[in-house]
Amino acid sequence: MAVNMGRSSGSTLREQYLTLKVMADNIRSQEQFLMMVDREHIIPDMARRLSKEAISEDLISNKRVFLDFLYNMLARTGPGEPDMDIEFHYLIIDKGFFEVDKSILWMQENEVVIPFEIGEKFGKTIVGEEAVDAVRKIIAFYKEAEARFDREHFGDLDRCTLLVLEEHFPQSSWHIRMRLPAKILNDHPISI
């Protein structure tokens, strides 16, 4: 995937955000193509395997470029720029299953669904490799981040939200939605 950073380093945050949106759409179309190839049984096995290998390698590369671009964009964000938030939807079943349902990057009211691996890796930095006490760890992490952004944003907590829903039937599970200013990613770097 080729990314044009513009004529100068002075491209606006909105332009960068739109570039990020195009990158996310391209990644999503590659993921959909892989699913389609998997379901199509009239494609010969060799052709299916080779096309999946080629697209998979390109997909991983595109996700890495996306994450690098996102980190660079967040690093260059300063005061007076539009607010950028990150939102993760997690599903925790019993005590051992931890999964990201959705990862979203917000710029004011605009959203971009970003690769789930970002939410998954970020979640694992919070709860660790073992999902033991994941809900408690996420709540503790959120409280610490909320206190930090409360100080930095002078009491404006509209950008920090945490919703924890517990489900008892058919089995015990938790649905967690956490939204924080996107610069939290700079404090907890991840890689794909």
Side-chain angles (χ1 to χ4, degrees):
M1 170 192 316
V3 178
N4 182 1
M5 291 296 290
R7 284 179 255 144
S8 68
S9 63
S11 61
T12 67
L13 187 63
R14 289 196 187 283
E15 290 170 342
Q16 293 175 12
Y17 183 80
L18 292 174
T19 301
L20 206 64
K21 186 171 177 39
V22 169
M23 293 167 74
D25 290 344
N26 183 44
I27 288 169
R28 197 167 21 267
S29 68
Q30 287 179 315
E31 290 172 337
Q32 289 171 346
F33 177 78
L34 283 174
M35 287 188 293
M36 186 218 39
V37 166
D38 250 355
R39 283 183 267 156
E40 200 58 55
H41 297 291
I42 61 171
I43 300 173
D45 288 340
M46 179 66 110
R48 180 181 305 140
R49 185 178 57 80
L50 291 174
S51 63
K52 283 176 60 177
E53 285 176 8
I55 294 295
S56 294
E57 288 176 21
D58 192 43
L59 182 60
I60 293 294
S61 174
N62 288 344
K63 287 179 181 181
R64 287 182 182 137
V65 169
F66 179 92
L67 188 60
D68 287 344
F69 191 89
L70 175 61
Y71 276 129
N72 288 332
M73 189 171 88
L74 292 175
R76 294 185 352 191
T77 304
E81 299 278 3
D83 292 338
M84 291 190 58
D85 298 332
I86 193 89
E87 182 176 316
F88 300 110
H89 298 210
Y90 294 115
L91 172 65
I92 301 167
I93 299 175
D94 287 328
K95 293 182 181 8
F97 184 77
F98 178 82
E99 178 179 78
V100 65
D101 186 35
K102 193 182 218 182
S103 301
I104 304 169
L105 179 69
W106 292 90
M107 177 186 271
Q108 295 173 328
E109 297 301 318
N110 301 312
E111 70 177 71
V112 172
V113 176
I114 60 177
F116 80 92
E117 288 92 347
I118 294 172
E120 181 181 56
K121 300 272 181 154
F122 186 74
K124 287 189 178 180
T125 62
I126 297 171
V127 301
E129 289 298 318
E130 302 284 327
V132 179
D133 289 332
V135 177
R136 184 185 54 75
K137 290 176 184 176
I138 290 173
I139 291 171
F141 175 84
Y142 174 80
K143 285 180 180 179
E144 184 179 312
E146 182 185 45
R148 171 191 161 199
F149 291 119
D150 181 26
R151 286 188 306 274
E152 289 180 13
H153 295 279
F154 306 106
D156 178 19
L157 291 179
D158 292 341
R159 297 173 58 197
C160 299
T161 58
L162 178 68
L163 177 65
V164 179
L165 300 173
E166 185 176 4
E167 187 176 328
H168 295 284
F169 184 81
Q171 62 189 15
S172 180
S173 64
W174 290 265
H175 300 270
I176 299 174
R177 187 175 74 199
M178 178 174 56
R179 181 172 174 165
L180 293 166
K183 63 181 168 180
I184 194 77
L185 290 175
N186 287 338
D187 299 339
H188 305 277
I190 58 171
S191 61
I192 295 178

